[in-house]
Amino acid sequence: MGARRYQEDAFGYGEGPNLYGAVADGMGGMLMGAEASRIAVEAAMGALRGGGTPLQAVMRAQEDVQSWARGLGILGLTGTTLSVAAVDLSCGLLDWASVGDSRIYLFRRGGSMELLSRDHTVAEAVRASGGDPASLGAEGDLITSFIGIEELAEISIPEEPVRLEKGDVVLLVSDGVHRVLSPAEMAALMDREDPASALMWAVSSKGIKRQDNATAVVLAI
């Protein structure tokens, strides 16, 4: 069991019977996204280390990013996505929370990649209301909820913690990964010795111009 990370706006580690991970991706087109994502990850991991839940970690990140932004006079003009996962190995349960379009997946050995989180985008909102997001184009990618927003109303959380099995892998990725690699492509890399680095290589090998920030944390059970 263990935690691996790749890229700067992410953290994964094991402590005692627990594994924790967080991925943040600064909002494109807004101010100081890199700083907002760093503050969000530090706040979230601090909350988890203190015994907080992923939902509490997300709320701590929201408070810290808002406080920082308010001090600079850029409240509402900066922000970041954030996905947080915590595994209690003593009982084999996964809890998680996410805001924005950084995702959380569950991979089971010999199986496929299951998406646990829900994107907070215009396209997802239209789909949830029974509409067809196909005609939205680039507008569908606009994020409707993020850390740093003035009122955080949308947070994706599980109905109940997920029971894990030996060999399961919890994967947290930014949109720079899941918009480039299909779930099947990601699943094919989970058996590698260092799946996080393998994901980064696979993204790079696509040769996409102006590649978005690609960030991944792997929690292997």
Side-chain angles (χ1 to χ4, degrees):
M1 63 188 178
R4 292 182 181 271
R5 71 181 179 94
Y6 193 92
Q7 279 288 23
E8 59 200 49
D9 302 326
F11 197 91
Y13 76 99
E15 182 176 278
N18 300 313
L19 292 176
Y20 304 127
V23 164
D25 186 13
M27 299 286 293
M30 300 188 82
L31 300 175
M32 303 180 72
E35 290 82 356
S37 62
R38 176 183 56 79
I39 292 168
V41 167
E42 290 178 354
M45 298 310 293
L48 292 174
R49 291 191 191 102
T53 66
L55 178 57
Q56 290 169 333
V58 163
M59 298 310 298
R60 174 77 64 80
Q62 170 73 352
E63 292 173 4
D64 284 12
V65 169
Q66 279 197 327
S67 177
W68 162 77
R70 189 176 292 109
L72 294 178
I74 58 172
L75 182 63
L77 301 177
T78 185
T80 179
T81 69
L82 178 64
S83 288
V84 180
V87 178
D88 185 340
L89 295 171
S90 66
C91 59
L93 292 177
L94 162 68
D95 193 11
W96 56 267
S98 70
V99 178
D101 65 354
S102 289
R103 292 181 174 178
I104 303 172
Y105 290 88
L106 173 62
F107 172 75
R108 293 222 141 111
R109 300 295 179 186
S112 58
M113 196 72 72
E114 177 188 356
L115 177 61
L116 300 179
S117 58
R118 180 177 67 85
D119 292 348
H120 298 121
T121 61
V122 171
E124 184 59 31
V126 169
R127 185 180 294 108
S129 64
D132 181 6
S135 63
L136 294 173
E139 181 184 350
D141 295 334
L142 295 177
I143 294 176
T144 58
S145 183
F146 56 89
I147 298 298
I149 195 171
E150 293 193 52
E151 286 192 33
L152 182 57
E154 294 181 280
I155 304 174
S156 180
I157 58 173
E159 292 184 3
E160 58 185 20
V162 179
R163 186 161 296 282
L164 299 176
E165 303 171 0
K166 185 174 177 57
D168 284 350
V169 177
V170 180
L171 175 65
L172 297 82
V173 292
S174 67
D175 68 331
V177 176
H178 68 72
R179 292 188 188 278
V180 174
L181 301 178
S182 69
E185 288 175 311
M186 290 188 284
L189 301 173
M190 292 300 99
D191 288 326
R192 300 291 180 89
E193 181 179 353
D194 187 348
S197 293
L199 285 165
M200 295 304 103
W201 180 87
V203 169
S204 177
S205 70
K206 297 287 186 177
I208 297 174
K209 293 182 179 180
R210 297 182 180 179
Q211 167 64 46
D212 195 6
N213 174 50
T215 307
V217 164
V218 175
L219 304 178
I221 311 307

